[in-house]
Amino acid sequence: MKLLDKIFKLNGGIQTETNKKVSTKNPIKSLPIPSELRLSLRQHIGNIAKLKVKVGDQVLKGELIAEADGNISAAIHAPTSGKIKSIEKLLIPHPSGLPDFCVTIVPDKKDQWIKKTPIDWKKIGIEETNKLLLNSGIVGLGGAAFPSHLKIGNNRKNLINTLIVNAAECEPYITCDDMLMKERSKDLIEGIKLVQSLLGAKETIIGIEDNKPESYEIISKLILKESNIHIKIVPTIYPSGYAKSLIFLINGIKISKEKLPPEYGIQMFNVATIIAIYKFIIHGETSLSRIVTITGNVKEPGNYDVLFGTPLDSLIKDAGGQKIKTNTFIMGGPMMGFKLPSIDVSVTKTMNCVISAEPEMIDNKKEPLPCIRCSKCAEACPVSLQPQELYWFSKSDQFEKAQNYNLFDCIECGCCSYVCPSNIPLVQFYRYAKSEIIAESIIKEEADIARDRTDFRILRLEREKKERAQRNAERRAENTNAEKSKLIEEKRAEIKATLERIENNRENE
Amino acid sequence: MFNQQSPFIQKAPSVTLVMILVMLSLVPGILAYIFFFGIGILLNLTIAIITALIAEYFILKIRNLPIKLFITDGSAIVAASLLAISISPITPWWIIIIGTLFTIIVAKHLYGGLGSNLFNPAMIGYAVLLISFPAVMTKWPLPATHLLDFNIAQQLEVFFYGPKGLIDSVSSATPLDYIKTQIFLDKPYELNFSEGMPIRSYFNASIIISLSFLLGGIFMWFKKIITWHLPITFLVSLTLISLIFWLIDSSLYLSPFIHLFSGGTLLCAFFIITDPVSGPTTPKGKIFFAFGVALLVYLIRVFGGYPEGVAFAVIFMNICVPLIDSLTQPKVFGHE
Amino acid sequence: MLTSILIILFLAIIIGLVLGFSSVKFKVEGNPIIDKIDSILPQTQCGQCNYPGCKPYATAIAKGDADINQCPPGGEKGVRALAELMGVDYKPLNEEHGATKPKSIAFIDEETCIGCTLCIQACPVDAILGATKQMHTIIEKECTGCELCLSPCPVDCIAMEPIEENAENWKWKYPVYSISTIKTKVNH
């Protein structure tokens, strides 16, 4: 273990009240298997998973329910044994509040595992291991849900020499990674060694914020014997846990929006994802559960180890229910999370925290004033953008100008809205502008395809006309006059016969 | 009003709080003014603030905007106060009203209201008054040499009845005005302001008032309302430019010390160029802006036709702000 | 006096030569303005503008035969973009050519379809799959919603279904908070 002193300074960012102590008082709690599990088919970035079961099927714990569709996709597995009750559109945890396809399983309480097959990755090689990872259901459990096999598979093209483990957990209120490190640190270290070998990296650096002293102590003791795993403390500034910010804080490399960390020899994983990969390869257990923090306006905030698909209301009930009834729940942290459409949703792979909203959080009475150009937002932006310019252009629908000012570099962290004296909801304007620009570009692509098809159709019709004219000319040239009149006579006889047939049919009716 | 989405937590002083803190930072300067020049400034402030609030109320009604929300944001009060402080304490009351009406109605609301004004509203009001009423605007009262040594009755008479013959006995020129007039009339002048000269007592008053504004400015910086870029760059640039000229010929040009502590230099550095709405938004832009204002202030003071150049310098640089902003955009994270 | 006339004459000849030379050397093939207009048009190929497709309409605008406000699928946004490109004033959509409707996709009722291929021949982007006496179906991704297949169908089995919002194509909405009671130019 070696403590590297040099931390680079992030430009911007904000210091908030972290509110983390309330949910770390008690250890991680497990709940009994609920009466129903509702699994959404779209829990990851990429294509929706392809169903492989139908209503009425019996499934075992860990059995494949839906497989990955293509390379950028992930699989869904049954979190426990039971019967498929229904496949229909239900409410999912999504800011739109629109329903999407979900598979409902009724557990049979036997919790029977499918045959677990640990993977001897050293024997079968990395390519084969990656193919197995494709249907392991493992996605980034830090909240981004990027399929993990793509991150491990990247090694073919580039040489990864550093693995960075994201233990920062910079958003206020969220403590699931912190509790994971306190209670399952041995699994974490073994997982780090495994992933490091899979990637072919030479060293690992764990990035942790300075508000987690106990986890730091536990981890540092365990890595004393390891020569190429180091741990580095970064100051508690939001958003130091954002992937590119953390990479910059640790080793000073600034990665721009178009490039990815592997091009610089770096790969980053969240602590929970590493443990999931470890369990899959060494124990043959697919990704079936995760740690969720329930905090905020509840009587007993804490962390829960729950199966995917667990209904949210059972979690809130176990946490004692809301102290002040607001009926609003925020998924994610208070800076980047979104309001859940209702409490009738279930745990997904991206649900790292649910905050029961306190009345100040959803106070709609703070009216926004016009922008006074104070530039506090520009001082706070971790990507060094000019949020006030982006705001003026997004507000007036001048999307081209907004893109000139690098609108898509915005990571929607919320630092700008946090410091705005006029209470302007800046991030909402950027989200609106980004979705409008993306929708417009999709429409333009479709219009281009339609134009090509129209042009091709006109070409095709002309070609057919030419071919027909040519054929007619050839046929005319072949036939002599005598043969032509004979053909005409034959045709006339045929028509007469058909007409007589129709007359007879009509008389018979 | 709107569907609140992330972020759900916020910790920022509201616009009203920022304006209140700015008013608090002006208090040391106002007290120093009262000590040396009498209660004229309080009368100015009262008339200006009342006119500003009434004008703002009527304009908001005409523009169909929510009145309570915008009157309580305090920006009209701050603009009117800055104008009132920049004007001489013995100005007649109608001049202040005209100036305030121009500030609020023309310079602020006709350009779009809060956050949309192109020029610094207080400076527009001051410039309009300076050009329209040049004689009255340059008359400043004789400073007191010890406490309570001023004639309230005479000052009130000037305030209500306007400048008459009385004014010469209660007023004098400011140091900068004195130098300018002497140069213009080709008379000899003493650059060092030695003790015993009547102008020296004026300059002493100026030093104390400037230091009070400096105190207010440091309070604002401490409370993170302003950043260091604008005031420090302005003061350093002004010092350097005046130093260069003073070293070339110290008999023709005033020393940097006199430039820094006379006129409205420190008021300008901390309160006028730091107006967020009409100023630049990027750190590098702020440095260019402050340097430009310092250069223009010096040029107008020394080579121009007016004794004090702050108002016109600030207005001129306000025109350049959009260009400065677009040329000094900071490098985005990761971009080359 | 004479020298100034000669100088001006000389300058005029030089400039004329330069212009003539560049008009030959830097000549642009085709008419780029038609392509620019066509890239603004929505490519629905519906014919509501009274021209048989978007390219003919673009050509008519470039020649000056047609007005810029005859395209309902392009909507108000399209008219504004055309006005900016052509340098003319914006005018609202001409009601005679129809109203702007939300984007819909055609759907063939398979129970009723008789396999006559009349709709296949009518579709301007070849978005209908089928053959004589075989089932016809609409390729959803290619359908532009032009409605040209509705009238040729002898059994009236084609209907237009608007595209509804789902979790995949959902967009963030404009954060509405109005502080003034005056109507704004753009409707969200």
Side-chain angles (χ1 to χ4, degrees):
Chain A
M1 187 269 288
K2 189 172 68 179
L3 176 62
L4 301 160
D5 291 323
K6 188 148 188 351
I7 303 280
F8 293 81
K9 190 164 178 310
L10 192 64
N11 179 33
I14 50 171
Q15 284 196 302
T16 65
E17 294 216 354
T18 52
N19 286 328
K20 296 202 190 218
K21 291 217 169 46
V22 281
S23 45
T24 52
K25 281 193 221 134
N26 302 320
I28 301 178
K29 222 168 140 181
S30 291
L31 288 179
I33 300 177
S35 54
E36 214 176 61
L37 291 171
R38 295 193 285 267
L39 294 161
S40 162
L41 287 180
R42 199 194 302 267
Q43 296 185 35
H44 46 261
I45 289 185
N47 300 330
I48 196 170
K50 251 197 311 205
L51 267 177
K52 292 218 76 143
V53 295
K54 51 186 194 302
V55 179
D57 279 357
Q58 278 290 125
V59 288
L60 292 170
K61 183 164 176 157
E63 189 169 326
L64 190 70
I65 290 190
E67 64 175 3
D69 183 12
N71 206 18
I72 307 184
S73 185
I76 313 273
H77 299 81
T80 185
S81 53
K83 196 157 128 172
I84 308 272
K85 176 177 157 200
S86 65
I87 300 174
E88 55 180 342
K89 277 198 170 181
L90 295 170
L91 264 184
I92 54 163
H94 189 264
S96 62
L98 294 166
D100 204 9
F101 286 106
C102 293
V103 175
T104 312
I105 299 180
V106 177
D108 57 9
K109 305 287 180 190
K110 285 192 219 143
D111 210 30
Q112 222 179 330
W113 264 102
I114 197 172
K115 179 164 181 300
K116 295 191 212 177
T117 45
I119 301 175
D120 190 357
W121 67 273
K122 287 199 189 106
K123 197 163 94 175
I124 61 174
I126 297 206
E127 294 256 358
E128 284 301 314
T129 312
N130 220 27
K131 285 208 191 103
L132 290 166
L133 270 173
L134 173 67
N135 273 316
S136 65
I138 299 180
V139 297
L141 292 172
F146 191 70
S148 303
H149 66 272
L150 290 170
K151 281 191 174 175
I152 299 204
N154 253 330
N155 196 23
R156 263 173 272 135
K157 291 189 223 136
N158 311 301
L159 274 170
I160 309 277
N161 47 35
T162 315
L163 164 69
I164 296 189
V165 177
N166 193 340
E169 203 166 48
C170 54
E171 267 212 69
Y173 287 90
I174 306 183
T175 50
C176 51
D177 288 347
D178 192 14
M179 299 304 294
L180 200 64
M181 285 192 285
K182 280 191 199 155
E183 298 191 10
R184 305 190 188 168
S185 41
K186 288 211 184 63
D187 281 345
L188 175 64
I189 302 299
E190 293 299 315
I192 289 178
K193 288 199 282 203
L194 170 68
V195 176
Q196 192 177 326
S197 328
L198 278 174
L199 287 172
K202 297 190 196 66
E203 62 165 358
T204 302
I205 306 179
I206 305 176
I208 189 170
E209 276 195 341
D210 61 14
N211 57 5
K212 303 183 202 359
E214 299 114 358
S215 302
Y216 170 69
E217 286 293 324
I218 297 174
I219 304 267
S220 347
K221 279 205 195 80
L222 280 175
I223 60 177
L224 270 170
K225 312 170 224 119
E226 314 290 339
S227 59
N228 49 10
I229 303 183
H230 317 296
I231 187 163
K232 215 161 175 180
I233 303 186
V234 297
T236 302
I237 298 181
Y238 174 82
S240 52
Y242 166 60
K244 295 183 179 168
S245 298
L246 190 62
I247 294 175
F248 172 67
L249 282 167
I250 288 181
N251 56 16
I253 299 179
K254 280 194 187 176
I255 303 180
S256 73
K257 173 181 64 91
E258 293 95 31
K259 300 210 175 165
L260 292 166
E263 295 178 47
Y264 293 80
I266 301 173
Q267 194 55 280
M268 184 181 275
F269 282 96
N270 178 275
V271 287
T273 319
I274 288 186
I275 295 183
I277 296 177
Y278 168 74
K279 286 219 176 99
F280 178 68
I281 293 191
I282 301 298
H283 298 297
E285 292 177 14
T286 48
S287 165
L288 301 176
S289 64
R290 67 158 301 139
I291 315 250
V292 180
T293 310
I294 306 286
T295 177
N297 180 14
V298 286
K299 298 206 178 93
E300 290 157 29
N303 284 286
Y304 293 84
D305 189 353
V306 283
L307 299 170
F308 295 134
T310 307
L312 183 59
D313 49 12
S314 57
L315 279 170
I316 302 287
K317 216 175 8 173
D318 195 85
Q322 285 191 306
K323 276 194 275 192
I324 308 172
K325 261 216 166 315
T326 52
N327 281 327
T328 308
F329 299 92
I330 299 170
M331 174 166 138
M335 297 297 294
M336 289 183 75
F338 57 88
K339 281 199 254 196
L340 286 171
S342 90
I343 200 176
D344 287 325
V345 294
S346 331
V347 174
T348 55
K349 296 181 185 177
T350 48
M351 194 182 276
N352 51 3
C353 173
V354 172
I355 304 175
S356 161
E358 295 172 48
E360 308 88 62
M361 284 188 187
I362 47 171
D363 177 14
N364 273 344
K365 295 195 207 68
K366 289 185 282 194
E367 277 199 49
L369 281 171
C371 168
I372 59 171
R373 294 171 54 108
C374 64
S375 296
K376 286 235 164 16
C377 51
E379 285 166 37
C381 180
V383 194
S384 306
L385 292 171
Q386 291 281 293
Q388 75 275 43
E389 307 263 1
L390 294 175
Y391 163 65
W392 299 324
F393 295 133
S394 307
K395 184 161 186 246
S396 52
D397 287 347
Q398 291 175 291
F399 297 132
E400 239 188 76
K401 281 224 172 100
Q403 280 183 285
N404 285 345
Y405 278 82
N406 304 302
L407 172 69
F408 279 95
D409 275 72
C410 169
I411 59 176
E412 297 177 25
C413 62
C415 289
C416 48
S417 314
Y418 185 83
V419 295
C420 180
S422 299
N423 279 328
I424 302 176
L426 290 165
V427 185
Q428 288 178 247
F429 280 99
Y430 308 147
R431 287 187 180 138
Y432 158 74
K434 282 189 206 176
S435 27
E436 289 290 322
I437 294 175
I438 293 176
E440 265 179 37
S441 67
I442 292 178
I443 291 177
K444 193 153 193 310
E445 258 180 55
E446 292 176 352
D448 287 340
I449 294 177
R451 187 182 304 126
D452 287 339
R453 289 182 80 92
T454 313
D455 289 340
F456 180 75
R457 175 174 175 264
I458 294 174
L459 228 76
R460 175 178 60 97
L461 291 172
E462 277 182 26
R463 188 184 61 194
E464 281 176 9
K465 216 196 304 183
K466 267 195 223 136
E467 283 177 2
R468 219 178 304 140
Q470 209 176 2
R471 246 181 289 138
N472 280 342
E474 279 172 15
R475 211 186 312 146
R476 239 177 282 133
E478 274 179 19
N479 296 335
T480 58
N481 263 344
E483 284 188 349
K484 236 191 247 172
S485 28
K486 186 164 156 229
L487 275 168
I488 293 173
E489 276 301 318
E490 281 180 7
K491 278 265 167 8
R492 278 219 187 104
E494 264 189 56
I495 294 172
K496 197 159 166 226
T498 319
L499 281 169
E500 280 173 7
R501 202 180 350 117
I502 294 173
E503 276 288 330
N504 290 340
N505 284 348
R506 213 176 285 152
E507 277 171 16
N508 290 342
E509 269 171 18
Chain B
M1 268 295 148
F2 69 101
N3 180 21
Q4 173 148 15
Q5 291 288 347
S6 68
F8 294 95
I9 51 176
Q10 223 235 10
K11 190 172 145 204
S14 66
V15 176
T16 316
L17 188 62
V18 169
M19 297 298 159
I20 292 177
L21 287 172
V22 170
M23 291 300 292
L24 278 178
S25 337
L26 282 171
V27 164
I30 296 176
L31 289 175
Y33 250 107
I34 299 177
F35 179 83
F36 284 106
F37 294 115
I39 56 157
I41 193 163
L42 279 182
L43 295 166
N44 280 2
L45 275 170
T46 321
I47 292 273
I49 292 177
I50 294 176
T51 319
L53 288 173
I54 296 177
E56 179 111 329
Y57 174 79
F58 280 111
I59 276 278
L60 287 173
K61 222 170 152 80
I62 296 174
R63 286 182 72 194
N64 262 332
L65 290 171
I67 292 175
K68 181 156 178 283
L69 179 67
F70 282 106
I71 283 220
T72 51
D73 71 20
S75 57
I77 299 180
V78 168
S81 313
L82 285 173
L83 177 65
I85 294 176
S86 319
I87 300 178
S88 149
I90 50 167
T91 328
W93 57 273
W94 65 81
I95 299 229
I96 302 161
I97 293 186
I98 294 175
T100 315
L101 286 177
F102 243 94
T103 299
I104 300 294
I105 298 180
V106 177
K108 187 174 157 203
H109 278 283
L110 286 186
Y111 275 96
L114 176 68
S116 310
N117 41 290
L118 191 57
F119 300 103
N120 190 321
M123 289 300 103
I124 290 277
Y126 185 81
V128 162
L129 291 178
L130 193 58
I131 299 177
S132 319
F133 309 102
V136 181
M137 289 293 287
T138 53
K139 292 280 183 287
W140 286 69
L142 288 166
T145 44
H146 59 269
L147 198 58
L148 296 180
D149 181 31
F150 47 81
N151 197 333
I152 298 186
Q154 283 188 321
Q155 289 193 340
L156 278 176
E157 211 179 310
V158 175
F159 182 78
F160 283 108
Y161 296 111
K164 294 199 175 90
L166 201 55
I167 196 146
D168 284 329
S169 63
V170 299
S171 67
S172 80
T174 67
L176 292 169
D177 192 23
Y178 162 76
I179 299 288
K180 189 114 272 181
T181 343
Q182 301 296 81
I183 294 177
F184 187 63
L185 297 172
D186 247 340
K187 284 204 196 137
Y189 47 86
E190 172 71 63
L191 273 180
N192 290 329
F193 295 167
S194 40
E195 292 293 340
M197 286 179 67
I199 206 76
R200 178 79 208 185
S201 63
Y202 199 96
F203 188 57
N204 285 340
S206 225
I207 297 181
I208 307 283
I209 294 174
S210 300
L211 285 174
S212 321
F213 283 127
L214 177 66
L215 204 69
I218 293 179
F219 173 70
M220 281 209 298
W221 173 76
F222 184 67
K223 281 282 182 187
K224 295 206 172 65
I225 297 176
I226 59 173
T227 55
W228 62 265
H229 302 89
L230 282 165
I232 304 276
T233 317
F234 175 72
L235 293 172
V236 164
S237 315
L238 189 61
T239 315
L240 282 175
I241 298 172
S242 50
L243 191 68
I244 293 172
F245 278 90
W246 188 61
L247 289 174
I248 293 176
D249 187 353
S250 62
S251 63
L252 267 178
Y253 304 110
L254 289 169
S255 76
F257 182 70
I258 298 181
H259 268 290
L260 271 183
F261 284 102
S262 63
T265 312
L266 276 152
L267 178 72
C268 167
F270 286 100
F271 294 92
I272 295 181
I273 56 175
T274 54
D275 175 41
V277 184
S278 50
T281 52
T282 58
K284 259 195 270 185
K286 288 184 179 160
I287 295 180
F288 280 120
F289 180 79
F291 176 75
V293 177
L295 182 66
L296 282 169
V297 163
Y298 187 77
L299 288 177
I300 297 177
R301 275 183 183 175
V302 174
F303 304 107
Y306 287 94
E308 175 56 280
V310 163
F312 298 110
V314 169
I315 292 173
F316 190 81
M317 288 310 287
N318 282 147
I319 303 176
C320 306
V321 158
L323 183 65
I324 293 178
D325 266 347
S326 67
L327 290 177
T328 55
Q329 288 294 316
K331 213 165 52 151
V332 177
F333 184 91
H335 286 221
E336 289 310 305
Chain C
M1 174 76 179
L2 189 60
T3 40
S4 27
I5 296 178
L6 283 174
I7 291 176
I8 300 285
L9 198 64
F10 179 64
L11 275 173
I13 294 174
I14 296 281
I15 293 175
L17 281 173
V18 168
L19 282 174
F21 174 70
S22 29
S23 80
V24 170
K25 177 110 192 313
F26 299 119
K27 188 172 158 73
V28 176
E29 288 306 321
N31 194 353
I33 192 84
I34 297 184
D35 286 330
K36 281 201 199 138
I37 299 175
D38 196 35
S39 66
I40 295 177
L41 294 175
Q43 303 304 312
T44 316
Q45 317 290 351
C46 59
Q48 285 179 285
C49 52
N50 295 338
Y51 290 90
C54 298
K55 200 60 174 282
Y57 179 46
T59 320
I61 295 182
K63 267 202 256 174
D65 291 334
D67 212 348
I68 57 170
N69 61 350
Q70 296 176 216
C71 179
E76 196 192 304
K77 225 195 217 170
V79 182
R80 278 191 201 275
L82 283 174
E84 213 184 293
L85 176 69
M86 303 301 295
V88 295
D89 278 332
Y90 162 76
K91 45 175 93 138
L93 268 175
N94 196 341
E95 310 260 304
E96 291 172 12
H97 298 273
T100 309
K101 288 184 273 201
K103 175 123 193 266
S104 324
I105 294 201
F107 179 74
I108 291 181
D109 182 10
E110 303 198 341
E111 304 276 314
T112 328
C113 175
I114 59 170
C116 67
T117 75
L118 285 174
C119 58
I120 298 181
Q121 294 162 38
C123 177
V125 290
D126 284 340
I128 308 185
L129 199 60
T132 326
K133 299 268 174 43
Q134 311 287 328
M135 181 58 68
H136 298 343
T137 187
I138 308 272
I139 307 175
E140 269 184 52
K141 263 177 77 176
E142 312 294 352
C143 175
T144 63
C146 69
E147 303 186 9
L148 284 176
C149 54
L150 295 182
S151 33
C153 179
V155 294
D156 212 11
C157 70
I158 310 185
M160 298 304 292
E161 289 183 355
I163 300 182
E164 48 176 43
E165 222 181 22
N166 57 28
E168 256 194 75
N169 64 13
W170 177 80
K171 289 192 299 191
W172 284 95
K173 302 283 177 292
Y174 189 79
V176 175
Y177 62 93
S178 65
I179 50 176
S180 158
T181 48
I182 301 175
K183 267 185 159 296
T184 49
K185 189 166 72 167
V186 186
N187 295 321
H188 284 113

